[in-house]
Amino acid sequence: MKTPLSIINANYDALLVNQEETIQSQKKWLNYIKIGTDRMKKLINDLLISAKIEEVNLEICKMPFNLSNTINEQILSIEAAAIEKGITLIKSIEPDIIVNSDSESIKQVVTILFDNAIKYKNENGQIDISLTKSKHQIIYSIKNTGKGIAKKDLPKIFDRFYRTDPSRTQDSGGFGLGLSIAKTMIDRLGGRIYVTSIENESTTFTITLEL
């Protein structure tokens, strides 16, 4: 929590030094304070989610729902962010896949992985999203071109607060909680999530859910 608090405190001090200035002229410092408070809010929300889903007695609400539609809707809600960054988005979603699971948890995980792919793609990179159904399981994968993940980091990538590149992650606003939350959610749903990566080429996160 030190980083966002430091941002807020430093820019508050900058405002005090220039008390006679107008709000417009101080807008830069105010914007930095807003960035700090937004990051603190995200961190607290992630910590609350992480604590909640690890409750031993937490009930999982499983109901049949259209996973294909759910994933398409989640992608549509954040697609603008990808387009704005010049990302090529390629989707291959098999239609009308019905799964008996917790739709809200699935939505959360899909958003976490999409957000992660956007953060760590290369300039004008590409994101490939796939959903298929085999005889016994459903397979969802999201692949982004970019720096990739070093082999030494792969076993720790789902650890809470683990960041492969702390300086880069600070710039992008992450705290190393998203992937930990995603794994905990998928584990609670009886599925599996794993990652493969080729350094300086691509990273792929894959989720499997049993039918």
Side-chain angles (χ1 to χ4, degrees):
M1 292 185 179
K2 289 181 180 179
T3 302
L5 285 175
S6 296
I7 291 172
I8 294 167
N9 286 332
N11 288 283
Y12 173 77
D13 291 340
L15 287 171
L16 288 182
V17 171
N18 304 288
Q19 293 186 45
E20 304 305 318
E21 299 291 331
T22 64
I23 290 177
Q24 184 62 34
S25 66
Q26 300 278 58
K27 194 172 182 180
K28 178 173 69 172
W29 312 117
L30 293 169
N31 285 340
Y32 289 151
I33 289 174
K34 182 66 166 60
I35 289 170
T37 55
D38 286 347
R39 293 186 65 198
M40 180 64 76
K41 179 181 177 182
K42 183 179 186 305
L43 174 58
I44 291 170
N45 285 340
D46 284 350
L47 286 170
L48 289 172
I49 292 170
S50 183
K52 182 179 179 180
I53 61 178
E54 289 185 354
E55 289 180 14
V56 175
N57 297 322
L58 178 68
E59 291 185 10
I60 302 296
C61 182
K62 288 188 176 183
M63 295 178 63
F65 68 96
N66 191 313
L67 180 59
S68 304
N69 289 348
T70 296
I71 288 177
N72 276 320
E73 287 167 6
Q74 289 305 106
I75 292 171
L76 188 63
S77 69
I78 44 186
E79 194 171 20
I83 294 172
E84 186 178 337
K85 295 177 183 292
I87 299 170
T88 300
L89 187 60
I90 298 176
K91 297 180 289 184
S92 178
I93 308 296
E94 187 175 325
D96 296 325
I97 294 179
I98 306 299
V99 62
N100 187 51
S101 192
D102 183 341
S103 62
E104 291 305 313
S105 293
I106 296 294
K107 287 177 184 178
Q108 181 86 22
V109 172
V110 169
T111 301
I112 287 170
L113 294 183
F114 197 7
D115 183 57
N116 196 71
I118 291 175
K119 269 183 198 171
Y120 297 108
K121 55 81 190 169
N122 55 341
E123 186 176 356
N124 297 321
Q126 179 173 308
I127 295 177
D128 294 83
I129 298 173
S130 169
L131 176 69
T132 59
K133 181 177 72 172
S134 68
K135 193 171 183 179
H136 301 291
Q137 64 181 5
I138 294 161
I139 303 168
Y140 172 78
S141 71
I142 180 165
K143 173 184 176 182
N144 69 284
T145 58
K147 182 180 177 181
I149 303 170
K151 286 184 178 180
K152 66 180 180 64
D153 292 318
L154 286 173
K156 305 174 186 176
I157 201 69
F158 294 107
D159 291 354
R160 188 181 299 180
F161 297 116
Y162 187 76
R163 300 181 297 185
T164 60
D165 187 346
S167 62
R168 183 180 176 187
T169 308
Q170 286 171 8
D171 292 338
S172 61
F175 294 94
L177 277 169
L179 292 177
S180 172
I181 290 171
K183 186 177 189 307
T184 303
M185 284 182 166
I186 294 301
D187 287 347
R188 292 294 294 267
L189 295 175
R192 180 177 175 236
I193 181 170
Y194 58 94
V195 59
T196 57
S197 186
I198 303 172
E199 287 190 70
N200 300 313
E201 188 172 319
S202 65
T203 299
T204 305
F205 284 90
T206 303
I207 295 170
T208 60
L209 294 170
E210 297 299 318
L211 288 173

